Amino acid sequence: LARGGEQTLSVFEQMRDAGVAATESSYSQVVRACALDGDVASASRLVRQCVSEGLVVRLRTFQPILVHYFSAGDLEKGFEWWDEMLATDPTVLLSALNSHQGPVEEIFVHVIKGCAPRVLDGDEWACRKLDDLMGEMAEACLGVTEESAAVLCE
């Protein structure tokens, strides 16, 4: 029997071969299945394919890859994908926070757990990257607050 990610990827590819257009949601589900199976190479390829097709990506599109790398303590790859996500759509965090998506909290927990050992060891790079990420998340939270205030003042 094939693993869940392999089966999901196979069905997705059959769907695409049959001419069915993929959505960000369908990509996100296949990315998640592949990442949960440990097939991060396929998950990564699919995220980049989704972006190259011009689909509007969300945090949930990147979440499985981010969680995979940060959970494994592979901060370099985790932050590489974090940076790629923000380069793809700088408002992705703001959008996720506005829609009350759980991935923000889940990713943050995995980032902290992944960074903690290296931060405690005094790894300056890990400290700087964690500080940058926290600043980006704080800016996104302030953006939500500013939008909420504007709506309340109208």
Side-chain angles (χ1 to χ4, degrees), residues 42-89:
S42 291
S44 300
R45 178 181 54 79
L46 288 164
V47 168
R48 289 182 175 128
Q49 185 177 329
C50 180
V51 170
S52 73
E53 289 181 13
L55 296 172
V56 175
V57 293
R58 297 181 184 188
L59 182 58
R60 69 182 180 188
T61 314
F62 290 88
Q63 176 191 10
I65 296 170
L66 293 168
V67 167
H68 171 83
Y69 285 122
F70 284 120
S71 293
D74 189 344
L75 302 186
E76 288 77 11
K77 280 291 204 183
F79 283 116
E80 181 181 308
W81 272 96
W82 180 267
D83 293 341
E84 185 169 336
M85 176 184 72
L86 292 180
T88 300
D89 180 1

Side-chain angles (χ1 to χ4, degrees), residues 121-138:
D121 284 343
D123 183 327
E124 290 183 29
W125 179 86
C127 292
R128 188 174 54 257
K129 291 301 283 184
L130 180 59
D131 185 54
D132 291 347
L133 182 140
M134 292 179 74
E136 290 159 352
M137 292 186 80

Side-chain angles (χ1 to χ4, degrees), residues 104-119:
V104 175
E105 292 85 6
E106 181 183 358
I107 290 169
F108 189 65
V109 166
H110 288 284
V111 168
I112 296 298
K113 285 181 180 178
C115 286
R118 287 180 54 178
V119 168

Side-chain angles (χ1 to χ4, degrees), residues 25-53:
S25 179
S26 61
Y27 269 108
S28 293
Q29 294 304 316
V30 181
V31 166
R32 180 177 213 65
C34 289
L36 286 173
D37 260 2
D39 186 1
V40 184
S42 291
S44 300
R45 178 181 54 79
L46 288 164
V47 168
R48 289 182 175 128
Q49 185 177 329
C50 180
V51 170
S52 73
E53 289 181 13

Side-chain angles (χ1 to χ4, degrees), residues 7 15 35 37 61 80 87 97 99 132 140 151:
Q7 288 177 325
M15 177 187 85
D37 260 2
T61 314
E80 181 181 308
L97 289 167
S99 64
D132 291 347
V151 169

